[in-house]
Amino acid sequence: MTSNQPQNPVSMPGRDRFTSGLGVLAATLGSAVGLGNIWKFPSLTGANGGAAFILVYLISTLLVGLPVMIAEQMIGRRARADAINTLRKLAGRDRRPWWLIGAAGCLAAFLILAFYTEVAGWVFAYIFRALTGAALSTDPDVTSAAFSGLVSDPTQALLWQWIVLILITAIIIMGVSKGIERVTKRLMPILFGLLVLVCIRSLTLDGASEGLTFLFSPDFSKLTGPVILTAMGLAFFKLSIGMGTMITYGSYFRDDQNIPATASRVMLADLLVSMLAGIAIFPAVFAFGFQPDAGPSLLFITIPAVFASMPLGQVFMVLFFVLAAIAATGAMLSLLEVPVAVLNEQFGFSRRKAALITLGLLALVGSTAALSSSTLADFKILGMTPFDLFDYVTSNLLLPLGGLFVCLFVGWAWGWPEVRAALTNDGQLGNARIARAIFGLTKFVSPVLVLIVLLNGLGIIQF
Ligand code: TRP
């Protein structure tokens, strides 16, 4: 090894990797951009007062999200291992069970996929409904009945979820560079193109400005503890952090990848997609006199009615749901990769077997989410259906906790010399200042913020 080669302490011959800087960007952005931008961001913004919510979300993204994303990618690349082994390897002689971060991450990935694949299933179903015109009506009562018809029919709900599960499992089996990288590299540009088209349509409607006002002028009276926790949970969910996704993807990064630069680009591009999704949705919602605060059903009840109200609506509705399906696919690949990498590297299953085992388990756990509006509608845990419970527990609990412990590990157990070496690629990059700032944030700022918001949002401390 010559002196100007990056001196990564662990090299793993035969382990798959992303093949180019662009590939890293496509896969990582593909993970970040997802139903979080198209389904969660608009519906949460709509239900929690618009711009003020976005502002808290932005602050969480900058002070917590970005540093945690960088921290995760950096430790993943250092260890070049799955989420559990990464923590094990790097903790070295430190006896504390840091690997639990990876194990909890696997659990979180499962629970997220359990409800995410169901929503993705609805999105896929809506592409076909848009094509046949079946979901189009200007009357929200009609679109609402159409949506209930889909979710309360156990056969359809399960069928669409399984279609989605089989699709993502097939791509995962193809591998990291030949599956994930190849697919996301093709799909991401299409997603951006479609999104811009739908935005132009929405902005050129009469009365679009009211929606923009809603998106950009804040009303701070809506900001309570739980709302702030929700905004922070969304920041974690959006950036795919707090559960090992970015650790796992980081382990496939190239040695010469500039991690802070990559993560910042992904964060900004992801934000752009969220704002564009807001711009695609809210001006149109207001232009046709609908309410923005429909919550999770915004996408499937309000949006079809909005599209039905506009000229060429059917075409734009097809485009919109295709772009949502693309977004969901890249995100699900990154979620599925976490348990698959663990089964593959910890337990020695082949990639194919690991993917099929995960598929089987997911079909089982996921079906409880799929049946939450039909067979299991009355089955409540803590007052929530399995679907809502998986969503709440992961976003508002597991992800913030995972992020908190990643910060504690990097800031307090791993330490500055390692962080500097990891972020400057062993001195190859002039990143030392940025590395310092990120180290300071992960050591002192992010963990304190996460803890306060978590405790306050759960009602454990009040102020
Ligand atoms: N970020 C994706 C979205 O916005 C979802 C996602 C993918 C995710 N991987 C994750 C969320 C890991 C949390 C953790 O839709």
Side-chain angles (χ1 to χ4, degrees), residues 145-315:
F147 181 57
S148 311
L150 171 64
V151 299
S152 62
D153 176 354
T155 324
Q156 284 202 59
L158 284 176
L159 185 71
W160 284 108
Q161 185 182 43
W162 286 348
I163 290 175
V164 167
L165 279 171
I166 290 168
L167 172 75
I168 56 173
T169 306
I171 300 175
I172 284 292
I173 289 177
M174 290 192 255
V176 174
S177 52
K178 297 215 174 68
I180 300 174
E181 179 177 349
R182 211 161 48 114
V183 168
T184 50
K185 231 157 87 182
R186 300 228 168 108
L187 291 183
M188 289 320 278
I190 303 179
L191 179 128
F192 268 95
L194 292 180
L195 191 53
V196 169
L197 271 182
V198 181
C199 276
I200 294 173
R201 169 70 280 193
S202 177
L203 284 173
T204 47
L205 293 167
D206 282 338
S209 61
E210 212 185 320
L212 292 178
T213 313
F214 177 78
L215 265 179
F216 293 107
S217 57
D219 166 11
F220 291 102
S221 65
K222 295 256 172 76
L223 291 181
T224 58
V227 170
I228 295 174
L229 176 62
T230 301
M232 198 181 72
L234 179 65
F236 277 90
F237 190 88
K238 275 303 327 112
L239 296 180
S240 307
I241 52 177
M243 50 138 286
T245 283
M246 287 299 164
I247 300 178
T248 310
Y249 270 25
S251 77
Y252 305 132
F253 277 22
R254 292 153 52 100
D255 286 329
D256 59 0
Q257 195 80 21
N258 184 340
I259 289 181
T262 305
S264 310
R265 278 191 203 130
V266 168
M267 184 272 287
L268 286 174
D270 175 68
L271 198 61
L272 181 69
V273 174
S274 290
M275 293 314 289
L276 287 177
I279 291 171
I281 291 174
F282 289 112
V285 167
F286 280 92
F288 296 108
F290 293 106
Q291 289 303 314
D293 57 358
S297 61
L298 181 73
L299 193 57
F300 301 100
I301 294 177
T302 314
I303 295 297
V306 169
F307 279 117
S309 312
M310 66 175 71
L312 285 182
Q314 188 173 0
V315 176

Side-chain angles (χ1 to χ4, degrees), residues 28-40 72 108-109 112 116 233-246 270 274 327-328 330-336 338 394-395 399:
T28 315
L29 188 61
S31 165
V33 168
L35 293 172
N37 308 63
I38 317 273
W39 172 61
K40 271 188 171 233
E72 289 195 11
I112 293 177
Y116 206 99
L234 179 65
F236 277 90
F237 190 88
K238 275 303 327 112
L239 296 180
S240 307
I241 52 177
M243 50 138 286
T245 283
M246 287 299 164
D270 175 68
S274 290
M332 290 186 292
L333 292 178
S334 73
L335 284 159
L336 188 54
V338 176
T394 49
S395 278
L399 299 183

Side-chain angles (χ1 to χ4, degrees), residues 124-136 314-315 317-319 321-322:
F124 278 77
Y126 264 72
I127 297 177
F128 290 95
R129 293 185 155 198
L131 278 172
T132 59
L136 279 172
Q314 188 173 0
V315 176
M317 184 164 160
V318 174
L319 298 184
F321 281 101
V322 168

